[in-house]
């Protein structure tokens, strides 16, 4: 298979509007956090609705760190999260000296198992981090009820879920404390690197804004445009360097305007996959609850028990046919750091472990054509024989 015919696993879709906006930022002389970041934040809050504040950061990982910090998580605290996620979800807990408590996923949603969360609560539990896996919302109704009952904070890892709804409400506007989106290159919208922290709690918003930029009490934009002396600032905490640049925000402004169209295109591809794979011994990804929106960030399939070819072999055979695939995720209980530090075994996470052994993620992105989808379907058919 020649290289130009290789179907990438993921590719961003960047238009001329994004490019022109980046050029305008470069020509303006204001390349770091400034007017375009402010605009992106305002547009993002409006896109979600629900009177939230949106705080742009240079990655979702940064946003997750700021979110937990603002919630007061620290040494001695426990934060409950899913083993079936990317390491960023859990590493931010360690940044603050707290301990993650990993729980299994629900086989029907591949998101955090709320019963397992309930069983994992101890007097040290401070917060819960659900992940809307692949862009399908976790069971937020039950999770938020549980959190309220035990007076726990909730931060949603929404890296996959723009736009996604839960009970008809946009992720980012639920009654959790913080929600964090990612604009990494392969996410549903991208700024190259970037993220957005969203909250309705003014105390959390203020703390995250201060800690985003060195613990300084005003950001650079205010500092150079307000009436106070432009040289004056105060450091109120040992903060971080997590602000978004105007170059990145220039991409975000236009990517956000295309988010609905992107979601429709992704849904179309998911529908084609569903139809194409229907007769094969393959478990297709969970759909959203009736009436809800699935962002379709990922199209994750599982090989049925009757498939005799191993998952690794299937990926190899797809690669040989010029199709890029991935695995979401190698669960954290298998990763050396998490496994050894917290004495985790596969037996503690039977659902995640079973899914991991049989799962692969097919390419799904807006630049794919219908014939690309057909080509993947045909390649899967050949690969599992
Ligand atoms: C991508 C991702 C992150 C991290 O996002 P960055 O913007 O790359 O920091 C966190 N959690 C999940 C579930 C992700 O998929």
């Amino acid at each position: 298979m020649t290289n130009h015919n290789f179907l990438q696993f993921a590719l961003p879709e960047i238009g001329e509007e994004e490019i022109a906006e980046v050029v305008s930022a470069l020509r303006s002389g204001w390349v770091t956090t400034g007017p375009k970041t402010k605009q992106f934040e305002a547009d993002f809050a409006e896109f979600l609705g629900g009177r939230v504040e949106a705080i742009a950061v240079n990655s979702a990982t940064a946003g997750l760190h700021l979110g937990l910090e603002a919630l007061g998580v620290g040494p001695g605290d426990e934060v409950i999260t899913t083993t079936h996620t990317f390491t960023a979800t859990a590493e931010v807990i360690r940044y603050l000296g707290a301990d993650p408590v990993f729980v299994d996923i629900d086989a029907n949603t591949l998101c955090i198992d709320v019963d397992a969360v309930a069983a994992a609560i101890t007097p040290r539990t401070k917060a819960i981090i659900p992940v809307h896996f692949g862009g399908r919302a976790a069971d937020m109704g039950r999770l938020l009820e549980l959190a309220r009952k035990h007076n726990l904070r909730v931060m949603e890892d929404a890296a996959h879920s723009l736009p996604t709804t839960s009970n008809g409400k946009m992720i980012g506007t639920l009654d959790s404390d913080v929600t964090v989106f990612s604009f990494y290159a392969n996410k549903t919208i991208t700024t190259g690197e970037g993220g957005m922290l969203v909250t309705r709690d003014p105390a959390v918003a203020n703390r995250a804004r201060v800690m985003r930029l060195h613990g300084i009490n005003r950001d650079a934009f205010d500092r150079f445009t307000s009436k106070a002396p432009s040289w004056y600032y105060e450091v109120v905490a040992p903060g971080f360097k997590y602000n978004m640049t105007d170059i990145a925000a220039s991409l975000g402004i236009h990517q956000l305007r295309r988010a609905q169209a992107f979601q429709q295109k992704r849904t179309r591809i998911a529908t084609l996959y569903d139809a194409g794979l229907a007769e094969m011994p393959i478990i297709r990804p969970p759909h959203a609850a009736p009436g809800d929106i699935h962002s379709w960030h990922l199209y994750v399939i599982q090989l049925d028990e009757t498939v005799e070819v191993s998952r690794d072999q299937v990926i190899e055979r797809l690669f040989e046919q010029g199709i890029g695939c991935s695995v979401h995720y190698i669960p954290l209980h298998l990763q050396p750091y998490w496994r050894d530090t917290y004495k985790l075994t596969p037996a503690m996470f039977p659902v995640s472990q079973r899914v991991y052994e049989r799962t692969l993620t097919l390419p799904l992105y807006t630049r794919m054509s219908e014939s690309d989808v057909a080509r993947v379907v045909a390649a899967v058919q050949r690969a599992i024989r």
Side-chain angles (χ1 to χ4, degrees):
M1 192 62 62
T2 50
N3 236 359
H4 70 268
N5 208 15
F6 190 85
L7 185 74
Q8 301 287 331
F9 171 68
L11 278 178
E13 181 171 334
I14 309 285
E16 291 305 321
E17 294 91 341
E18 283 88 331
I19 292 167
E21 197 78 40
V22 168
V23 170
S24 118
L26 296 176
R27 292 197 199 288
S28 77
W30 202 300
V31 289
T32 186
T33 312
K36 294 199 194 290
T37 304
K38 287 232 160 181
Q39 185 191 334
F40 184 36
E41 290 176 334
D43 291 354
F44 199 88
E46 192 187 308
F47 179 87
L48 295 180
R51 290 185 294 280
V52 293
E53 291 190 66
I55 295 157
V57 286
N58 57 15
S59 71
T61 307
L64 292 165
H65 184 194
L66 290 176
L68 279 192
E69 200 274 342
L71 294 178
V73 168
D77 292 334
E78 290 175 351
V79 178
I80 300 172
T81 193
T82 166
T83 187
H84 212 81
T85 187
F86 186 55
T87 193
T89 313
E91 75 194 27
V92 297
I93 301 166
R94 295 295 303 128
Y95 289 0
L96 293 159
D99 294 306
V101 174
F102 295 104
V103 300
D104 207 352
I105 49 171
D106 177 333
N108 296 316
T109 64
L110 307 182
C111 294
I112 198 164
D113 179 338
V114 180
D115 293 324
V117 173
I121 294 171
T122 74
R124 286 174 59 196
T125 309
K126 179 98 180 191
I128 308 167
I129 311 178
V131 178
H132 307 299
F133 181 79
R136 194 254 185 241
D139 185 353
M140 291 306 293
R142 284 185 60 221
L143 192 81
L144 289 168
E145 191 183 323
L146 181 71
R148 256 193 304 273
K149 196 169 115 194
H150 293 271
N151 196 25
L152 303 175
R153 317 305 295 268
V154 175
M155 176 171 78
E156 296 168 69
D157 179 337
H160 300 178
S161 35
L162 185 81
T164 291
T165 65
S166 168
N167 277 316
K169 289 172 77 181
M170 284 283 257
I171 294 300
T173 68
L174 309 186
D175 292 328
S176 60
D177 297 283
V178 184
T179 304
V180 180
F181 296 89
S182 174
F183 312 130
Y184 180 66
N186 71 350
K187 299 290 161 59
T188 55
I189 73 168
T190 186
T191 61
E193 299 281 357
M196 193 71 80
L197 182 156
V198 169
T199 182
R200 224 184 272 121
D201 181 338
V204 169
N206 291 339
R207 179 70 180 179
R209 249 187 223 107
V210 166
M211 296 306 279
R212 167 177 69 171
L213 198 66
H214 302 297
I216 290 173
N217 67 348
R218 309 148 61 168
D219 68 28
F221 183 66
D222 287 342
R223 190 145 54 87
F224 290 108
T225 56
S226 73
K227 288 194 191 70
S230 65
W231 51 266
Y232 187 76
Y233 61 88
E234 288 180 349
V235 175
V236 298
F240 310 105
K241 186 70 200 295
Y242 283 165
N243 54 307
M244 177 178 275
T245 68
D246 266 24
I247 300 170
S250 296
L251 291 167
I253 288 165
H254 294 280
Q255 288 276 293
L256 184 65
R257 289 180 192 166
R258 295 150 70 121
Q260 298 289 5
F262 283 171
Q263 192 276 336
Q264 282 158 16
K265 181 83 195 284
R266 285 176 173 277
T267 302
R268 170 80 186 137
I269 294 169
T271 305
L272 290 171
Y273 271 143
D274 278 352
L277 301 170
E279 304 302 320
M280 295 186 210
I282 279 183
I283 302 167
R284 288 167 289 164
H287 276 222
D292 269 325
I293 294 169
H294 191 314
S295 76
W296 288 112
H297 167 53
L298 300 175
Y299 194 89
V300 174
I301 62 171
Q302 293 170 62
L303 305 176
D304 191 88
E305 306 290 334
T306 60
V307 176
E308 280 167 14
V309 190
S310 76
R311 183 272 315 278
D312 295 9
Q313 258 180 307
V314 170
I315 292 179
E316 192 54 40
R317 289 177 178 186
L318 286 170
F319 191 81
E320 284 163 7
Q321 297 178 77
I323 311 287
C325 298
S326 191
V327 171
H328 294 87
Y329 285 97
I330 306 167
L332 298 184
H333 65 259
L334 297 179
Q335 295 292 1
Y337 172 74
W338 300 114
R339 179 193 66 205
D340 299 345
T341 306
Y342 293 99
K343 310 274 179 284
L344 308 176
T345 66
M348 297 160 74
F349 310 93
V351 180
S352 171
Q353 182 67 26
R354 193 179 68 231
V355 170
Y356 167 64
E357 288 168 6
R358 312 289 298 169
T359 199
L360 63 144
T361 310
L362 301 179
L364 195 175
Y365 47 99
T366 59
R367 283 167 65 185
M368 282 176 74
S369 65
E370 299 206 354
S371 68
D372 288 333
V373 179
R375 189 178 143 203
V376 177
V377 168
V380 171
Q381 176 83 73
R382 280 190 291 271
I384 61 176
R385 267 208 297 264

